[in-house]
Amino acid sequence: MLNHCRSATLTLFGLTTLLSIVPLENGRADENEARQQSSFGAAEFMGIVETILERHIAPPTRQQMVLDGVKALYSAHGQPAPMRLSNEISALGSRAAVIKFLEGLPVDFNGEVKRSVLEGLFEKVPGGPILIDAEEARVQESLQANRYVGIGISLTMTNNVPQISTVFHGGPGYPAGVKPKDLILEIDGESTVGQELGSVVQALRGEDGTSVSLLLQQPTESPRSISVIRGVTFIPTIEGVKEVSPGQWSYFPRTGSKIALLRIVQIGPSTVHELKKIESQLRSENVAGIVLDLRVGGGRLHDVILLADQLLDDGVIGQVQTLDSNLIHKAEPGSLFRGLPMAVLISSSSGPDRVFLAAALQDCKRAHIVGQVPTTQEMFVRSHIDLPDGERILLATGVLKRGDGSILRRPLPYLPYQFSNLGVAMPTIDGKQSTVNLDMRSIVVPDLTVPDQVAPDYPGIQGTDFRDLATSSAIDLLEEGNVRKQPTAAAAAE
């Protein structure tokens, strides 16, 4: 299904999938969309179908995708689909025949129906493909390298006015005088009141070295005008409990305890480097244990594997199966936080990258897992596939496995975890139902199950007043000493 997220909060550097699909309303966005829509027709539709067939790990049939797309096309024009449509499409034997059939339909692929048609096309494709426009694809490239060009802020919406929630000290907005809680009233003289967040984001973007004028207002002060020179912003991927000064965090949530909490909000190319600096700081502060919060955020598989390698001293990280290979990833000797006990927090909504990392740490006996069984994500490897017009599709191109080869799966809601193996009706990777002997190793079951309950003001937890039950439980676990410490390579070999 084509995602139509309209988030109440958007980040100018992070949630790239959301940013790519929020409708844009300024002039440049309208021109881009018009160009994309005008070039969409039967051939372009089939190009997307063929891309899914060639690259997806377990795609539906071509006939199924074409049928779903054509049904959506008729629906978008307010017409019922013909009774024998399925039989007609099933009889088409080649790509050329399908294109000829599509071009002969009484309803056309004009630009206004593109999104509706793609929603239909994607409906039965496992993993829910997402179409990313050309502009957003360019932005994602900079984000993947942690070299986002902008003013270095994150936004939320307050009473139909964009409000700055975070100003990153490494970005150009901070020295220019941009402050948290600032309302953005105007951008380059144009009012932002009532605009979509996507429009505001688009207006704030620009080339490195260009200027943007802002009319800002603190909630209890008069409006002020400032100018910001856009530039490259380094985006931290790890946070602590409380930011005590720009870029400096306190990592100890419980008074009198030396158990540190590290929130990995995004796993990116800089995460390992950041973690090394944090380790040096925590060692100087006599840290006694580490809680890694993997409950929110995303990450590319390559960066996740690099992070796993740095957290493990040896052993198999996991396996990745694609159409043409099955790669086994192993950790090299040497690790961060050696000798310190570790717990990892996961939740029912933790993404596949987080589950893969948690499974590796659990399998190698490096950490206890605390939290909930992840239930809302399929454990696919998703890749960005370039299309000829500059757009991209985010597509499931592989599956994630534990070190022993067990495919990581989403559990059924009623699964009784106390049994080791079950013969159940399990959704297979192609979306069909199949009775399988489900190996419980395919599910990352926490060592300590704790409900997903987080305080509204988290992560600003102070003293011993914990409403974040998972963090509190993990700290208790580490302080009690019944934990897994980093094994040596020799011990792991035994």
Side-chain angles (χ1 to χ4, degrees):
M1 175 177 171
L2 195 65
N3 202 332
H4 277 293
C5 293
R6 291 173 179 258
S7 176
T9 303
L10 285 180
T11 307
L12 297 191
F13 58 85
L15 302 177
T16 57
T17 299
L18 292 180
L19 294 184
S20 69
I21 54 186
V22 173
L24 305 180
E25 296 176 353
N26 60 27
R28 182 173 62 175
D30 287 340
E31 292 171 6
N32 288 341
E33 186 171 354
R35 284 195 296 270
Q36 292 168 6
Q37 290 178 344
S38 63
S39 64
F40 184 70
E44 288 72 25
F45 173 85
M46 280 306 298
I48 294 176
V49 170
E50 296 296 331
T51 296
I52 295 173
L53 288 172
E54 292 172 2
R55 304 295 298 275
H56 197 283
I57 184 65
T61 64
R62 180 174 61 187
Q63 288 81 0
Q64 182 66 65
M65 286 188 284
V66 172
L67 176 62
D68 291 338
V70 172
K71 284 182 177 179
L73 178 61
Y74 274 98
S75 178
H77 283 282
Q79 299 183 28
M83 294 291 294
R84 296 185 57 79
L85 182 62
S86 178
N87 291 338
E88 290 183 61
I89 293 175
S90 295
L92 300 173
S94 66
R95 181 179 188 275
V98 176
I99 292 178
K100 183 177 180 180
F101 170 79
L102 296 175
E103 291 175 340
L105 292 173
V107 286
D108 60 73
F109 288 86
N110 62 63
E112 295 178 357
V113 302
K114 176 179 179 179
R115 187 168 292 273
S116 297
V117 171
L118 291 180
E119 283 183 346
L121 168 60
F122 293 164
E123 183 177 0
K124 294 185 178 67
V125 180
I130 296 175
L131 184 70
I132 303 170
D133 66 38
E135 168 67 13
E136 189 55 40
R138 181 188 66 80
V139 173
Q140 287 192 2
E141 289 180 357
S142 66
L143 292 174
Q144 289 173 356
N146 205 347
R147 290 186 56 83
Y148 179 80
V149 176
I151 66 172
I153 64 171
S154 63
L155 287 178
T156 188
M157 189 65 80
T158 303
N159 297 324
N160 290 323
V161 179
Q163 185 173 38
I164 296 172
S165 55
T166 307
V167 181
F168 296 95
H169 75 283
Y174 181 78
V178 179
K179 302 176 182 178
K181 299 185 179 179
D182 271 339
L183 297 170
I184 303 180
L185 305 179
E186 295 181 2
I187 300 175
D188 287 334
E190 182 178 346
S191 174
T192 61
V193 178
Q195 288 197 33
E196 294 270 0
L197 271 181
S199 297
V200 177
V201 169
Q202 191 73 9
L204 290 172
R205 290 175 180 168
E207 298 297 323
D208 189 4
T210 60
S211 175
V212 59
S213 297
L214 306 175
L215 181 63
L216 305 176
Q217 182 181 23
Q218 283 284 298
T220 59
E221 300 177 4
S222 300
R224 70 189 192 281
S225 296
I226 68 170
S227 180
V228 183
I229 304 299
R230 298 180 180 97
V232 175
T233 300
F234 170 74
I235 309 302
T237 65
I238 304 175
E239 297 177 355
V241 177
K242 184 178 181 180
E243 194 170 21
V244 294
S245 63
Q248 298 297 316
W249 289 85
S250 168
Y251 296 99
F252 300 106
R254 180 176 291 177
T255 302
S257 173
K258 286 299 182 179
I259 305 299
L261 172 65
L262 308 182
R263 299 179 64 234
I264 302 184
V265 296
Q266 186 79 12
I267 301 175
S270 66
T271 301
V272 169
H273 175 70
E274 294 175 54
L275 209 56
K276 289 179 179 179
K277 292 178 63 177
I278 293 171
E279 181 189 24
S280 178
Q281 174 186 334
L282 292 178
R283 294 281 189 186
S284 70
E285 297 173 350
N286 299 317
V287 63
I290 302 294
V291 177
L292 289 182
D293 190 343
L294 300 181
R295 290 176 292 187
V296 298
R300 292 192 305 167
L301 180 62
H302 173 73
D303 298 321
V304 172
I305 291 172
L306 291 179
L307 176 58
D309 184 23
Q310 290 296 315
L311 293 173
L312 294 170
D313 192 37
D314 203 352
V316 178
I317 297 171
Q319 303 184 32
V320 179
Q321 178 185 332
T322 61
L323 286 172
D324 53 9
S325 67
N326 188 77
L327 297 178
I328 299 175
H329 296 277
K330 297 182 179 180
E332 298 295 330
S335 69
L336 297 172
F337 304 111
R338 178 188 291 274
L340 293 174
M342 183 180 295
V344 170
L345 306 182
I346 61 174
S347 74
S348 60
S349 58
S350 293
D353 59 304
R354 306 305 178 100
V355 177
F356 184 70
L357 177 57
L361 296 174
Q362 186 180 55
D363 291 347
C364 293
K365 296 181 170 50
R366 177 61 183 102
H368 275 295
I369 308 300
V370 177
Q372 289 281 78
V373 176
T375 59
T376 61
Q377 296 277 351
E378 296 288 0
M379 305 311 168
F380 291 120
V381 178
R382 288 176 169 84
S383 304
H384 289 92
I385 310 299
D386 292 329
L387 298 176
D389 58 1
E391 294 181 319
R392 287 179 174 177
I393 295 180
L394 186 61
L395 199 63
T397 57
V399 291
L400 297 171
K401 297 180 178 180
R402 301 187 89 136
D404 65 357
S406 303
I407 295 178
L408 289 170
R409 297 181 185 272
R410 178 176 62 181
L412 298 175
Y414 53 81
L415 194 62
Y417 301 122
Q418 65 268 28
F419 297 131
S420 60
N421 289 280
L422 288 173
V424 297
M426 187 73 181
T428 60
I429 193 171
D430 58 2
K432 300 177 181 179
Q433 292 287 331
S434 175
T435 300
V436 299
N437 189 36
L438 180 60
D439 185 350
M440 286 301 298
R441 284 190 55 76
S442 67
I443 299 170
V444 177
V445 180
D447 301 295
L448 179 61
T449 301
V450 180
D452 289 339
Q453 295 185 23
V454 180
D457 56 346
Y458 177 76
I461 339 170
Q462 298 299 318
T464 57
D465 180 21
F466 278 90
R467 284 173 287 173
D468 179 3
L469 300 182
T471 298
S472 180
S473 300
I475 292 175
D476 289 342
L477 187 67
L478 297 187
E479 288 184 334
E480 290 169 2
N482 182 24
V483 296
R484 294 167 174 163
K485 296 185 178 181
Q486 173 68 63
T488 65
E494 295 177 1

